[in-house]
């Protein structure tokens, strides 16, 4: 590079408000560009950063004062050959940072695959001369021989790892070896290159071409590694998967050689795209109207959002497929969001059967390597459709034409840590920026989305009938307050539900049983003194998991053995209280000993692919009845299911949350929609202690609009969303008094800002501070304060002004601040 030295602004994946300015050295052959990853010094560390601005002069806010002499630190290396994002994508990330009140670097860490964030460690590696000296035993002390032996076996090793291997100080020995030219100190960068290192990559030798030195190295390598090097030296670069076929059981050797720096991975050429393989079904009249309304707008390349409100099994997915087909024909790309990882395989299968290898998956269930591969496949244009959970909203498409948010009402679209974004809302923002069509689909839309239709911000498309005019399932409430609703054995299954399960099994049909509480029992209780066994780290009771033989906390993962005697009174009358999915499974096995029963909750789906294995068994002939939590309520299409039983509809209804009624209605209506999707009609039995509640009544009558009008009136009276916007500011810490003082001081400062602003912030309502419903979590006490305002701009401006004074109410780094814009839960 010639001319004046360039300066770059670098965003770091840390909670640092401003980007930092670094010097771009002339020794780097690449020109600085937005979107490049760089390794930069930060104190004594080296961290990954992202170039967000480049130019010959530092930006005004970074320029030093004329009175001070200051030299910008240079970046140390560039990690990419091409940018990972461009100026357009950067503007999207900057919007997210401003709206959700986080740093740009934190947004970039969230948006890009996690394996792109690298860490560095001080390390040492053996040089070729050191390997030869070790072989010949020349001029080496015993300690030096030990060090070289470990380094030859382990490749590059961190200093800490080397000390642990040797078992004594190594500094003097390393210094001697370094002077002799046998080793060199370096820094190990842990993380992956952006191009990925999967079986789809090309493996190349990174040492010189065949020579006497290479042959000597091969003699020093283990046999398996030497075979790999010999193969690459003879055949040249090849695909990793082909190399593993040619040399079976060579995977470990390949990885070890990569660690030692003897081989490297490079990106392969673009692969051909396979053609679609399925014939689309014919459309209903309502589907045709919906497709006919959306598709003409694709050609205009203008933003428009649609709310596709269709009853369960009305064919919303086929509309998505037809619209995406039109988008691909016009040369554009498509993004499909689903709320749960469990839904991704079946959605992926439907899209892949229609569009072939043009489809890629993006979700947190993938390994780092798989996620990186798919990310690059999209970036390079080899995949034109992405299907995934909320993080897929950041898929690196360059010409996006349509974004689908299936089950748009689902709270899983909201991230609950770090950057607390809502993927549904970001889909709308991204669609607007990229002039794309956005389709929000649901049988039970969120109140906010339905209200936006009324306000003219979105267009409503309705599907009022099921495919083939199949009837909606009959929904029957069971009043658990009545003695006749309780079984004689004190079980959770009422006599009507027991009878329905037996009859359905006799007829050879499948049943779903839903309880949104996992484990065997809610907790354990002493009948003598009333003591409940609680988590020592959280303000919740411990859940009994009988299969594990443990009491578990579902928040911090604390576990303990169930006590045989009461910890309080030492009595021996400890009993399990309440029911979870594990106990419901046990009761159904007792009721139907010959039935094949499965369970789907977080306990049974921890391993990769477990969701799909359970659902595959249920779709096939392996399971008759499936018991589960909310995982079984979403989007599953199994025609043989004709009965759904809801054990306790009131679990979510009693939560201290203004959205409790809405969430209960959505869960019940969604799980009810799993019944009767095939040739036989469906029945749904809902056990409840509040069967006359309007949210349950609306499910019985399949009346979403009736629920919407009643719930909207209640929200309007209390000025809750969608009639206001909210920010939840939470302070946490290990000292309860310190947390409470900080929360009070924060609220005091907030009211001072409001009073001094005059009319600017007069409409903002400050609620609290108060202790959070979940008062302690992982040994940290929690107090929060809610801010409510009618317009997001004013509310966010007020919040920024408050956060600018955080040092006044957060005197200690032991206290942490969490800011949640547009919260969907208040626990």
């Amino acid at each position: 590079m010639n001319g004046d030295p360039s300066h770059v602004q670098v965003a770091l994946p840390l909670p640092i408000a401003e980007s930092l300015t670094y010097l771009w050295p002339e020794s780097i052959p690449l020109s600085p560009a937005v979107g490049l990853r760089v390794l930069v010094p930060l104190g004594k560390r080296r961290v990954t950063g992202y170039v967000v601005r480049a130019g010959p002069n530092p930006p005004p806010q970074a320029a030093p004062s004329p009175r001070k002499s200051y030299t910008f630190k240079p970046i140390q290396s560039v990690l990419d050959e091409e940018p990972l994002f461009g100026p357009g994508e950067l503007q999207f990330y900057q919007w997210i940072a401003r709206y959700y009140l986080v740093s740009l670097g934190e947004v970039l860490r969230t948006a890009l695959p996690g394996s792109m964030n690298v860490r560095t460690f001080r390390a040492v590696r053996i040089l070729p001369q050191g390997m030869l000296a070790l072989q010949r035993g020349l001029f080496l002390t015993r300690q030096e021989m030990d060090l070289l032996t470990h380094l030859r076996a382990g490749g590059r090793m961190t200093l800490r790892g080397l000390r642990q291997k040797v078992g004594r100080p190594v500094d003097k020995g390393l210094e001697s070896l370094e002077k002799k030219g046998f080793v060199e100190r370096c820094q190990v960068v842990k993380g992956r290159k952006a191009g990925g290192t999967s079986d789809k990559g090309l493996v190349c030798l990174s040492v010189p071409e065949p020579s006497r030195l290479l042959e000597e190295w091969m003699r020093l390598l283990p046999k398996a590694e030497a075979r790999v090097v010999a193969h690459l030296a003879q055949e040249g670069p090849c695909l990793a998967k082909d190399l593993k076929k040619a040399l079976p059981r060579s995977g470990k050797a390949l990885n070890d050689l990569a660690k030692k720096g003897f081989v490297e991975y490079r990106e392969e050429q673009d692969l051909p795209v396979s053609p679609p393989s399925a014939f689309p079904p014919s459309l209903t009249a309502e589907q045709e109207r919906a497709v006919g309304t959306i598709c003409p707008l694709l050609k205009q390349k203008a933003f428009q959002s649609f709310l596709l409100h269709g009853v369960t099994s009305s064919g919303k997915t086929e509309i998505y497929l037809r619209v995406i087909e039109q988008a691909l024909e016009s040369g554009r790309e498509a993004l499909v969001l689903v709320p749960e990882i469990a839904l991704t395989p079946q959605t992926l299968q439907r899209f892949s059967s229609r569009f072939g290898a043009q489809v890629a998956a993006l979700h947190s269930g993938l390994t780092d390597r798989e996620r990186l591969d798919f990310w690059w496949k999209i970036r390079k244009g080899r995949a034109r459709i992405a299907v995934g959970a909320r993080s897929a909203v950041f898929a690196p498409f360059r010409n996006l034409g349509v974004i689908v948010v299936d089950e748009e009402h689902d709270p899983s679209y909201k991230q609950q840590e770090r950057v607390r974004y809502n993927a549904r809302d970001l889909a709308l923002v991204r669609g607007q920026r990229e002039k794309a069509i956005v389709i929000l689909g649901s049988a039970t839309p969120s109140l906010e989305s339905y209200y936006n239709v009324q306000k003219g911000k979105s267009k409503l498309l309705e599907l009022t009938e099921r495919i083939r005019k199949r009837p909606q399932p009959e929904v029957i409430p069971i009043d658990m307050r009545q003695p006749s609703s309780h079984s004689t054995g004190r079980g959770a299954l009422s006599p009507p539900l027991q009878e329905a399960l037996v009859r359905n099994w006799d007829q050879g049909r499948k049943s779903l049983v839903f309880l949104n509480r996992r484990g065997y029992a809610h907790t354990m209780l002493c009948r003598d003194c009333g003591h409940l066994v609680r988590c020592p780290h959280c303000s919740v009771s411990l859940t009994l998991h009988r299969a594990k033989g443990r009491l578990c906390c579902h928040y911090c993962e604390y576990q303990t053995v169930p006590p045989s005697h009461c910890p309080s009174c030492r009595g021996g009358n400890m009993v399990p209280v309440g029911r979870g999915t594990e106990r419901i499974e046990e009761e159904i096995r007792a009721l139907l000993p010959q039935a094949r029963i499965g369970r789907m909750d977080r306990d049974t789906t921890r391993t990769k692919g477990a969701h799909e294995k359970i659902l595959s068994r249920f779709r096939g002939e392996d399971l008759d009845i499936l018991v589960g939590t909310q995982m079984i309520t979403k989007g599953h299409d199994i025609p043989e299911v004709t009965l759904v039983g809801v054990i306790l509809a009131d679990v979510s209804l009693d939560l201290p949350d203004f959205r409790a009624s809405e969430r209960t209605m959505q869960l019940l209506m969604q799980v009810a929609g799993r019944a009767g999707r095939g040739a036989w009609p469906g029945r749904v039995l809902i056990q409840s202690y509040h069967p006359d509640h309007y949210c349950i009544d609306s499910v019985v009558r399949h009346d979403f609009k009736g629920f919407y009008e009643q719930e909207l009136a209640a929200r309007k009276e209390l000025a809750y969303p969608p009639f206001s916007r909210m920010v939840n500011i939470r302070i946490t810490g290990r000292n309860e008094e310190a947390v409470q003082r900080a929360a009070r001081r924060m609220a005091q400062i907030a009211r001072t800002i409001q009073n001094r602003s005059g009319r600017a912030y007069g409409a903002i309502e400050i609620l609290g501070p108060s202790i959070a419903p979940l008062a302690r979590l992982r040994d940290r006490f929690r107090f929060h304060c809610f801010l409510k305002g009618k317009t997001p701009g004013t509310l966010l401006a007020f919040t920024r002004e408050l956060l600018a004074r955080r040092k006044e109410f957060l005197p200690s780094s032991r206290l942490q601040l969490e800011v949640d814009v547009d919260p969907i839960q208040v626990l």
Side-chain angles (χ1 to χ4, degrees), residues 100-101 420 727-730 799 803 817-821:
Y100 289 103
L101 305 172
R420 292 175 168 82
V727 176
N728 183 13
I729 305 179
R730 186 183 300 117
T799 308
L803 296 180
L817 190 69
E818 300 171 359
V819 182
D820 191 358
V821 179

Side-chain angles (χ1 to χ4, degrees), residues 554-589:
H554 290 170
Y555 289 93
C556 71
E557 304 299 330
Y558 170 82
Q559 297 185 15
T560 187
V561 176
S564 57
H565 292 79
C566 175
S568 179
C569 72
R570 308 307 301 168
N573 203 4
M574 297 293 294
V575 294
V577 177
R579 293 171 178 83
T581 50
E582 196 178 327
R583 189 167 184 175
I584 300 303
E585 181 186 10
E586 178 183 277
E587 291 185 17
I588 297 175
R589 288 189 188 279

Side-chain angles (χ1 to χ4, degrees), residues 426-718:
L426 290 190
L428 291 166
V429 173
R430 187 170 182 184
Q432 192 171 28
R433 287 180 169 273
E434 302 194 26
K435 295 181 172 57
I437 299 297
V438 180
I439 305 172
L440 309 180
S442 178
T444 54
S446 64
L447 259 70
E448 288 86 349
S449 294
Y450 209 81
Y451 184 70
N452 283 338
V453 169
Q454 289 190 340
K455 301 296 288 184
K457 295 181 179 180
S458 190
K459 292 185 178 180
L460 179 65
L461 301 171
E462 291 187 295
L463 304 176
T464 59
E465 294 181 343
R466 284 185 157 190
I467 296 294
R468 298 176 187 169
K469 297 190 180 296
R470 292 184 178 121
Q472 291 273 41
E474 179 188 11
V475 182
I476 304 167
I478 299 174
D479 189 350
M480 298 301 289
R481 297 171 297 186
Q482 303 299 322
S484 59
S485 298
H486 294 275
S487 63
T488 54
R490 299 178 63 84
L493 307 175
S494 63
L497 182 54
Q498 291 182 21
E499 183 183 341
L501 286 168
V502 172
R503 187 189 310 119
N504 212 51
W505 183 75
D506 286 340
Q507 293 172 345
R509 295 168 190 170
K510 295 182 183 292
S511 303
L512 280 175
V513 179
F514 167 59
L515 175 61
N516 205 21
R517 182 178 285 159
R518 62 189 174 102
Y520 184 83
H522 184 53
T523 189
M524 291 194 72
L525 169 76
C526 175
R527 280 188 171 173
D528 295 332
C529 71
H531 176 79
L532 291 174
V533 183
R534 304 184 71 83
C535 176
H537 309 290
C538 308
S539 57
V540 295
S541 57
L542 293 176
T543 301
L544 176 64
H545 290 252
R546 178 171 281 186
K548 296 179 182 177
R550 292 287 186 273
L551 284 165
C552 305
C553 176
H554 290 170
Y555 289 93
C556 71
E557 304 299 330
Y558 170 82
Q559 297 185 15
T560 187
V561 176
S564 57
H565 292 79
C566 175
S568 179
C569 72
R570 308 307 301 168
N573 203 4
M574 297 293 294
V575 294
V577 177
R579 293 171 178 83
T581 50
E582 196 178 327
R583 189 167 184 175
I584 300 303
E585 181 186 10
E586 178 183 277
E587 291 185 17
I588 297 175
R589 288 189 188 279
L591 177 68
L592 290 166
Q594 294 179 316
R596 295 163 299 180
I597 302 165
R599 176 162 53 90
M600 188 171 176
D601 54 29
R602 192 176 297 177
D603 297 323
T604 62
T605 56
R606 290 186 183 274
T607 58
K608 184 178 179 180
H611 300 87
E612 185 56 23
K613 287 179 183 176
I614 295 171
L615 289 171
S616 179
R617 292 179 64 209
F618 190 51
R619 290 191 194 100
E621 300 296 325
D622 294 341
L623 293 177
D624 304 311
I625 301 170
L626 183 62
V627 180
T629 56
Q630 62 180 352
M631 290 181 180
I632 68 172
T633 69
K634 302 172 183 179
H636 306 301
D637 188 0
I638 303 173
E640 295 80 11
V641 173
T642 57
L643 176 66
V644 169
V646 179
I647 299 300
L648 187 58
D650 314 307
V651 170
S652 56
L653 194 59
D654 295 330
L655 292 174
D657 191 328
F658 71 89
R659 286 192 172 93
S661 296
E662 179 186 10
R663 199 154 298 151
T664 300
M665 179 277 298
Q666 290 166 341
L667 276 173
L668 296 180
M669 200 169 282
Q670 288 286 337
V671 74
R674 303 312 108 203
R677 300 169 78 97
W680 304 285
R683 294 178 72 217
V684 182
L685 276 64
I686 299 179
Q687 299 182 169
S688 173
Y689 287 92
H690 302 92
D692 49 355
H693 193 284
Y694 66 91
C695 86
I696 295 178
D697 183 58
S698 66
V699 175
V700 172
R701 294 185 291 108
H702 301 284
D703 183 16
F704 170 80
K705 290 184 179 178
F707 171 83
Y708 169 79
E709 291 169 0
Q710 194 163 351
E711 181 71 8
L712 199 69
R715 299 271 187 96
K716 186 175 183 179
E717 185 176 349
L718 298 172

Side-chain angles (χ1 to χ4, degrees), residues 237-297:
C238 66
L239 289 172
K241 59 184 178 182
D242 293 338
L243 188 145
K244 290 175 183 177
K245 287 180 183 177
L247 301 175
R249 299 185 295 278
S250 61
K252 183 179 184 302
L254 189 57
N255 290 334
D256 290 343
L257 286 168
K259 289 178 183 176
K260 294 174 181 178
F262 280 22
V263 302
E264 64 183 8
Y265 292 87
R266 295 176 187 166
E267 189 179 352
E268 64 170 316
Q269 299 299 315
D270 287 359
L271 298 174
V273 175
S274 60
S277 57
F279 295 100
S282 57
L283 299 178
T284 66
E286 288 183 327
Q287 286 176 316
E288 281 192 359
R289 280 196 295 272
V291 172
T293 302
I294 298 170
C295 285
L297 296 174

Side-chain angles (χ1 to χ4, degrees), residues 200-216:
K200 299 178 183 177
L202 287 170
V203 185
C204 315
L205 279 176
S206 58
V207 295
E209 291 300 314
S211 62
R212 187 181 68 81
L213 183 59
L214 177 59
E215 291 171 4
E216 288 206 48

